[in-house]
Amino acid sequence: MYLPDLFHEQDFETIAALIEAHPLGALTRIVNGAIVADHIPFLFDAKANVLRAHVARANPLWRDFDPASEALAIFTGLDNYVTPSWYETKRETGKVVPTWNYEAVHVYGRLRAIEDAAWIRALLRDLTARHESTRPTPWAIEDAPDGFIDAMLKAIVGIELSITRIEAKRKLSQNRNAADRAGVIAGLEAEGGETAERMAKAMAALGWKA
């Protein structure tokens, strides 16, 4: 992806947190000369440097990839339209245009399919714990009958992306002057809504001084 230095995010903890907060990745690969993509919720194991997930056994993904070629998992974080009306520069010179602020992580690696039932069951426990832990009454796979879970396990296949490289981009108005950045933050806060407010907080967290 186009990655100017200003927008290049290299802090590993920030990148890991972005994937953790937005785990639904678009897994892309080349199949018979065509680009194919599947949308899959992943777990990022930073210690092992892998992404883990599962797909339906009926999904050809786990059979049609080339293990010698890189696949790409794309994660998108916050994004918001930025109107030039928020810039101080608009009032000073008028030389401004609209843009879009956003976060994205591209994770490259080599895929492998895993049919081991114990591996898949452990993955399901980890996925469930990740997404159920904050709920008042968390659901666990042990809440379902063993026979039912065993049948479900036969219907899915594990996949693991062994990471070769990561590219991360956070375009948060770093290319604008302090007054323009402050205007964007104020505009987002005034606009309201969860998406705009989260973007304003992410921009403010960079520590700029207006």
Side-chain angles (χ1 to χ4, degrees), residues 73-89:
I74 301 172
F75 299 89
T76 55
L78 301 175
D79 75 277
N80 212 98
Y81 172 74
V82 176
T83 171
S85 298
W86 290 338
Y87 294 146
E88 180 62 29
T89 300

Side-chain angles (χ1 to χ4, degrees), residues 83-165:
T83 171
S85 298
W86 290 338
Y87 294 146
E88 180 62 29
T89 300
K90 177 183 181 295
R91 287 172 282 280
E92 294 174 348
T93 69
K95 296 179 179 180
V96 290
V97 293
T99 191
W100 208 283
N101 280 357
Y102 63 93
E103 301 174 312
V105 177
H106 289 187
V107 181
Y108 298 84
R110 289 182 170 80
L111 285 168
R112 71 180 181 114
I114 302 168
E115 297 186 78
D116 179 72
W119 189 98
I120 298 172
R121 185 181 287 270
L123 171 68
L124 294 180
R125 284 200 180 96
D126 290 344
L127 274 170
T128 302
R130 161 68 181 85
H131 297 291
E132 291 282 338
S133 61
T134 59
R135 298 183 178 277
T137 308
W139 183 89
I141 62 173
E142 287 77 16
D143 294 340
D146 283 341
F148 174 76
I149 294 298
D150 290 341
M152 292 293 98
L153 288 173
K154 294 176 182 178
I156 61 177
V157 177
I159 59 169
E160 185 174 79
L161 185 75
S162 186
I163 298 170
T164 53
R165 56 195 171 103

Side-chain angles (χ1 to χ4, degrees), residues 5-80:
D5 288 343
L6 277 174
F7 306 141
H8 188 183
E9 179 59 65
Q10 300 184 68
D11 180 73
F12 183 79
E13 290 186 2
T14 298
I15 295 169
L18 198 155
I19 296 174
E20 177 80 6
H22 307 276
L24 184 66
L27 181 62
T28 64
R29 62 210 183 279
I30 303 295
V31 179
N32 297 324
I35 299 174
V36 180
D38 285 89
H39 298 267
I40 303 169
F42 284 95
L43 277 178
F44 180 30
D45 186 336
K47 186 175 181 180
N49 200 38
V50 297
L51 290 171
R52 297 192 174 110
H54 65 82
V55 297
R57 185 170 288 276
N59 186 335
L61 182 158
W62 68 277
R63 294 187 303 270
D64 67 11
F65 65 88
D66 178 0
S69 299
E70 281 188 326
L72 167 62
I74 301 172
F75 299 89
T76 55
L78 301 175
D79 75 277
N80 212 98

